[in-house]
């Protein structure tokens, strides 16, 4: 079981002080939070991808590569890589580069994001969101597995004899999660490829999350990747903790009430009763998180959102201390005791390398140094491109 945190990188005014951090402060805080996450023993740090105010993570691979240089163990991931509006060739090359720079300490989560206007900014139509996600990932999947790709689809120009560089580290493509809150097509896509499915259910009731996860598990088994309970599932969550519940509720309430994403809506009490948000003591976080297993089954990755709604960096770092010292150690023990032996752990670069029988140099050498032409493919493509 992997435990970690994710950030959406919002630049939000602190409602208790009226101060808004600068973009520079928020970027530096992101790095500090990631380093702290490793220090307290968490497994994963993930960042979103946004291209508009009030968010700062427009270049996640740049940020994650910088963090990789300052950490040693933590897995670096994305909480959204915009598969719809980011060219799959760009994704293939950027994240393969990150894979090399981090020595394999990375994976990524495909998603469509939550900002509708992003589509025309990158020349796309939001009405094509699902078809874009399907076609672009079909191409990305091939770019990491075939040295030379000939491809033609609907949403980008064709490729002829194209080689994405650098090739994946040790010949092992990065592990991919597909993130979705409400789209069964994305759960189907994750199941088809045998990839992970991440249900970031921070705004949704358990009944909805159960339906999405069960659909993914059934289809994972249908496609022959293993039994339904062996499917690779991740869940999102939100927490705010203090030693006693009353202090946590009192301190967090103004941030909740004024948060851009859910402020001025349901009350804090309504939201915590209906969604994974937990505001209270460490023990309450432990109990509620263990309860996720009741509707999601045995799952492999739990990520929490901590640094949002204008919370100051000092408070976020305090939250990480509580997670690392009091919450995650208990959850590791409890989840490990509950998980059947046949349910796999979350894939990592070392585990994928072992499953492949070891590393090989995947470097593709050009035929000449003028055109950069690649060798002819030795095998035909075996994956379908959805049109």
């Amino acid at each position: 079981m992997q435990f970690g945190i994710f950030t959406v990188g919002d630049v939000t005014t602190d409602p208790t002080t009226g101060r808004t951090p600068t973009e520079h402060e928020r970027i530096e805080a992101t790095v500090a939070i990631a380093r702290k996450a490793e220090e307290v023993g968490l497994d994963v740090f993930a960042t979103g991808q946004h291209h508009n105010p009030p968010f700062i993570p427009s270049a996640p691979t740049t940020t994650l590569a910088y963090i990789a240089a300052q950490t040693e163990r933590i897995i670096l991931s994305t909480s959204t890589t915009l598969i719809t509006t980011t060219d799959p060739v760009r994704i293939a090359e950027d994240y393969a580069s990150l894979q090399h720079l981090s020595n394999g300490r990375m994976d990524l989560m495909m998603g469509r994001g939550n900002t509708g206007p992003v589509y025309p900014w990158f020349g796309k139509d939001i009405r094509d969101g699902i078809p874009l996600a399907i076609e672009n990932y079909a191409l990305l999947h091939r770019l990491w597995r075939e040295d030379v790709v000939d491809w033609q689809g609907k949403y980008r120009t064709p490729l002829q004899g194209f080689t994405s560089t650098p090739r994946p580290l040790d010949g092992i493509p990065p592990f991919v999660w597909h993130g979705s809150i409400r789209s069964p097509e994305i759960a189907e896509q994750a199941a088809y490829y045998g990839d992970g499915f991440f249900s970031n259910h921070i705004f949704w009731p358990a009944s909805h999350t159960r339906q999405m996860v069960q659909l993914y598990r059934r289809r994972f088994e249908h496609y022959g990747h293993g039994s339904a309970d062996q499917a690779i599932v991740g869940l999102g969550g939100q927490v705010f903790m203090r030693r006693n519940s009353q202090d946590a509720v009192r301190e967090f309430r103004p941030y909740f009430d004024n948060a851009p994403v859910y402020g001025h809506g349901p009350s804090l009490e309504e939201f915590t009763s209906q969604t994974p948000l937990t505001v209270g003591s460490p023990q309450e976080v432990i109990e509620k998180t263990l309860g996720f297993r009741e509707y999601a089954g045995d799952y492999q990755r739990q990520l929490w959102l901590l640094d949002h709604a204008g919370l100051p960096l000092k408070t976020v770092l305090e939250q990480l201390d509580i997670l690392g010292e009091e919450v995650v150690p208990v959850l590791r023990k409890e989840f490990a005791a509950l998980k059947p032996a046949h349910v796999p752990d979350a894939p990592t670069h070392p585990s994928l390398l072992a499953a492949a029988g070891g590393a090989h140099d995947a470097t593709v050498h050009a035929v000449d140094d003028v055109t950069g032409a690649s060798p002819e493919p030795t095998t035909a493509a075996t994956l379908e491109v959805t049109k």
Side-chain angles (χ1 to χ4, degrees):
M1 185 82 169
Q2 294 175 343
F3 297 94
I5 57 171
F6 70 97
T7 179
V8 295
D10 59 309
V11 179
T12 302
T13 300
D14 184 332
T16 67
T17 65
R19 186 180 185 281
T20 305
T22 65
E23 290 179 324
H24 181 70
E25 289 172 331
R26 195 69 177 90
I27 291 169
E28 286 197 322
T30 301
V31 176
I33 290 165
R35 293 175 61 182
K36 182 70 170 182
E38 176 171 272
E39 177 188 321
V40 302
L42 300 188
D43 304 302
V44 183
F45 172 82
T47 178
Q49 179 184 350
H50 293 276
H51 296 276
N52 59 294
F55 304 101
I56 49 90
S58 59
T61 51
T62 301
T63 302
L64 294 175
Y66 185 77
I67 294 169
Q70 301 187 44
T71 55
E72 297 179 356
R73 182 191 56 80
I74 197 165
I75 295 169
L76 304 172
S77 188
T78 55
S79 47
T80 304
T81 295
L82 296 177
I83 188 63
T84 47
T85 53
T86 309
D87 187 80
V89 172
R90 185 75 270 171
I91 294 175
E93 297 186 335
D94 283 353
Y95 285 92
S97 298
L98 176 62
Q99 189 188 32
H100 283 270
L101 290 169
S102 65
N103 287 317
R105 285 191 294 122
M106 59 79 64
D107 53 37
L108 66 165
M109 186 195 306
M110 300 299 167
R112 289 178 293 138
N114 60 4
T115 307
V118 72
Y119 285 83
W121 297 339
F122 292 91
K124 306 299 181 183
D125 188 327
I126 192 172
R127 292 170 293 185
D128 297 326
I130 292 291
L132 276 165
I134 294 171
E135 179 177 289
N136 283 352
Y137 184 66
L139 174 56
L140 175 61
H141 195 270
R142 288 184 59 186
L143 289 170
W144 276 336
R145 288 163 176 83
E146 300 175 32
D147 289 345
V148 183
V149 173
D150 292 319
W151 179 88
Q152 185 170 352
K154 180 178 179 180
Y155 297 105
R156 78 174 313 281
T157 53
L159 296 173
Q160 295 181 340
F162 180 76
T163 298
S164 172
T165 59
R167 304 305 297 147
L169 175 66
D170 300 323
I172 305 296
F175 184 73
V176 169
W177 302 80
H178 298 260
S180 180
I181 297 174
R182 63 188 179 275
S183 302
E185 297 92 339
I186 302 304
E188 175 78 12
Q189 183 183 41
Y192 175 77
Y193 290 101
D195 294 338
F197 178 65
F198 190 91
S199 181
N200 189 12
H201 63 329
I202 58 176
F203 300 123
W204 291 78
S207 58
H208 175 81
T209 301
R210 178 188 291 110
Q211 289 181 317
M212 290 290 287
V213 172
Q214 287 181 349
L215 169 63
Y216 162 67
R217 290 188 183 278
R218 290 195 305 270
R219 301 301 288 172
F220 182 93
E221 182 173 297
H222 169 80
Y223 288 116
H225 301 299
S227 61
D229 61 353
Q230 292 177 313
I232 308 299
V233 174
L235 298 178
Q238 295 172 280
V239 295
F240 187 86
M241 298 168 287
R242 288 304 182 199
R243 295 291 178 244
N244 65 70
S245 299
Q246 293 79 10
D247 289 341
V249 170
R250 182 172 56 253
E251 185 175 347
F252 187 67
R253 189 180 298 279
Y255 294 97
F256 176 89
D257 288 347
N258 294 281
V261 290
Y262 46 46
H264 313 289
S267 69
L268 176 59
E269 287 73 18
E270 291 172 318
F271 208 83
T272 53
S273 69
Q274 298 176 27
T275 77
L277 175 64
T278 311
V279 181
S281 67
Q283 185 59 37
E284 288 175 302
V285 172
I286 291 168
E287 292 172 0
K288 190 161 186 176
T289 304
L290 286 171
F292 296 168
R293 183 178 177 272
E294 296 176 6
Y295 55 85
D298 292 290
Y299 65 109
Q300 285 78 8
R301 175 174 285 187
Q302 174 65 55
L303 301 183
W304 290 284
L305 177 63
L306 297 179
D307 68 322
H308 62 118
L311 287 166
L313 176 60
K314 177 178 179 293
T315 300
V316 175
L317 298 181
E318 291 169 351
Q319 296 294 300
L320 281 165
D321 278 327
I322 300 172
L323 267 184
E325 294 171 7
E326 301 184 41
V327 174
V328 168
V330 177
L331 289 175
R332 284 195 199 283
K333 181 179 178 181
E334 295 292 334
F335 275 116
L338 293 168
K339 190 184 80 168
H342 70 281
V343 174
D345 294 331
T348 62
H349 187 74
S351 70
L352 294 171
L353 194 61
H360 71 272
D361 179 15
T363 303
V364 172
H365 298 279
V367 172
D368 62 73
D369 59 2
V370 177
T371 65
S374 302
E376 291 299 318
T378 56
T379 59
T382 57
L383 296 176
E384 298 180 5
V385 177
T386 304
K387 300 199 177 158

